Amino acid sequence: MILVDTSVWIDYFNGNAHKYTDALDQALEEGVAAIGDLIFLEILQGFRSDKEYKQAKERLSTLEQYEMFGHLMALRCAENYRALRKKGITIRRTADVIIATFCIEHNLPLLFSDKDFKPFVQHLGLQPAFGGT
């Protein structure tokens, strides 16, 4: 399984084709694309049309789902955030810290196009799902 970040899903649903959405297409065909509850929330929040919201909700609900947060994860996220901050790197979005930490803790590759995940790859062992991103 690979977890797919919100950044890739947004481009996918907007029809923006690039190497990451192509990798998502392949993961969907192979049945290895998964989604976390936080990512599910972020994606669904973005739809303005009820029709598009319903279609996306139905499609995403067929994927393997992960619950991404709890007390232990909160501690791990804080530790990872602090480890990066000590290196002079500040992650802008708490959601990215949660997603990256969940993948690190569960040994799941992450398919992403958002550059904010790169420090997690370089310093904390996050596995990119697509060629080093």
Side-chain angles (χ1 to χ4, degrees), residues 67-132:
E67 292 184 16
M68 300 183 75
F69 207 61
H71 180 74
L72 182 59
M73 279 296 298
L75 291 172
R76 296 287 186 258
C77 289
E79 290 166 359
N80 285 343
Y81 180 88
R82 290 175 48 77
L84 291 175
R85 191 170 64 189
K86 287 176 183 177
K87 293 182 178 295
I89 302 164
T90 301
I91 303 301
R92 298 175 296 162
R93 296 182 55 237
T94 300
D96 291 346
V97 177
I98 296 168
I99 292 165
T101 301
F102 180 85
C103 288
I104 293 165
E105 291 296 310
H106 292 87
N107 202 30
L108 278 171
L110 179 64
L111 178 59
F112 64 92
S113 60
D114 184 340
K115 66 181 165 89
D116 289 333
F117 289 106
K118 288 183 179 184
F120 292 96
V121 172
Q122 295 166 344
H123 302 287
L124 299 175
L126 175 63
Q127 299 172 51
F130 181 76

Side-chain angles (χ1 to χ4, degrees), residues 59-73:
R59 180 134 192 220
L60 294 171
S61 294
T62 65
L63 301 174
E64 183 161 339
Q65 306 272 328
Y66 293 106
E67 292 184 16
M68 300 183 75
F69 207 61
H71 180 74
L72 182 59
M73 279 296 298

